[in-house]
Amino acid sequence: MPEPQAVERVTGKTLHALSFSACSDDDNNIDSPKSIVGTWIMSSNEGWVKENGKTIEEWNDKVDEDESLHYIYHRDGTLEYKDPSDGYQVVETGTWRYEDGKIYLTENRDDYITDLISVSETELVLGIHGTKVEDGITYEYYAAKHFRKIADAL
C-alpha cells in the first residue's frame, strides 16, 4: 500500500509529485495559460485510496484558508509559494508552463506533471489519479485540490 506519508505528500503542497490522468468537461477547457496566472489559496482537498477495488481511505476536507500557502503563478512562467504563517515569506520557487491540459512544474530541481481538471476566473482544480501494483495488490488513488483565486496576475 502507498505509505501514508506518500499519500499525504500527494494531498499536501506538492500535489504535482505524480503523473496522472483526469477527465474534464468541455465547459472547463482552458483557452490559454493566462487562466492560471494569479495568486491562489487552497480551499478544499478530497480523494480516496482503494485496495483491490475496495475503498480503504477517503477524505473531503475543507482547508483553513488563513493557513493555506499562497500559490503564485506569474505570467513569465515563474512560480512562488508564500507562507502566511511566516510573514508571507517565499518558501519555495520554481517554474511552470501549461500545455495540452497539463501543468509542467519545476520545483527545487524536481520536475512534476499535473493535470488541470478545471480552471475558471475564481477556481482552479488540480488532481491526481493512478494505479500501482505492489506485492500482487492493486492500489488505486485519486486526490483533488480546489484553489480559490485571491489576486490576479502580478
Side-chain angles (χ1 to χ4, degrees), residues 7 23 56 73 77 102 147:
V7 172
C23 299
I56 59 171
Y73 291 81
K102 298 186 183 304
F147 298 87

Side-chain angles (χ1 to χ4, degrees), residues 17 19 22 28 32 52 65 68 76 143 147 152:
S19 304
N28 292 322
S32 78
N52 290 330
E65 292 183 2
S68 173
D76 66 359
F147 298 87
D152 286 323

Side-chain angles (χ1 to χ4, degrees), residues 10-150:
V10 165
T11 61
K13 180 184 69 65
T14 312
L15 174 69
H16 326 294
L18 299 169
S19 304
F20 61 94
S21 61
C23 299
S24 62
D25 64 39
D26 291 338
D27 292 338
N28 292 322
N29 285 342
I30 294 30
D31 294 329
S32 78
K34 292 178 190 172
S35 303
I36 302 162
V37 172
T39 302
W40 303 86
I41 56 174
M42 191 181 325
S43 57
S44 66
N45 169 15
E46 64 180 318
W48 46 258
V49 177
K50 293 181 180 181
E51 182 178 285
N52 290 330
K54 181 180 177 192
T55 302
I56 59 171
E57 185 176 356
E58 251 181 309
W59 61 93
N60 188 355
D61 302 319
K62 290 281 187 196
V63 173
D64 184 349
E65 292 183 2
D66 292 335
E67 296 179 10
S68 173
L69 289 177
H70 288 211
Y71 301 78
I72 306 166
Y73 291 81
H74 295 283
R75 289 183 202 279
D76 66 359
T78 58
L79 173 67
E80 294 179 298
Y81 300 130
K82 291 186 177 182
D83 187 348
S85 69
D86 195 15
Y88 294 93
Q89 301 236 1
V90 174
V91 294
E92 192 166 339
T93 61
T95 60
W96 71 277
R97 70 181 167 86
Y98 168 80
E99 186 178 315
D100 297 327
K102 298 186 183 304
I103 299 177
Y104 295 82
L105 299 143
T106 300
E107 303 167 354
N108 292 328
R109 293 184 272 177
D110 292 323
D111 294 324
Y112 304 107
I113 302 171
T114 185
D115 281 346
L116 183 57
I117 295 174
S118 68
V119 65
S120 71
E121 290 183 17
T122 59
E123 185 181 46
L124 170 69
V125 182
L126 303 174
I128 62 167
H129 181 239
T131 303
K132 176 181 181 180
V133 177
E134 187 175 293
D135 297 327
I137 300 171
T138 301
Y139 296 98
E140 184 180 3
Y141 53 87
Y142 165 79
K145 296 245 177 238
H146 296 255
F147 298 87
R148 183 173 63 82
K149 187 178 250 183
I150 60 171

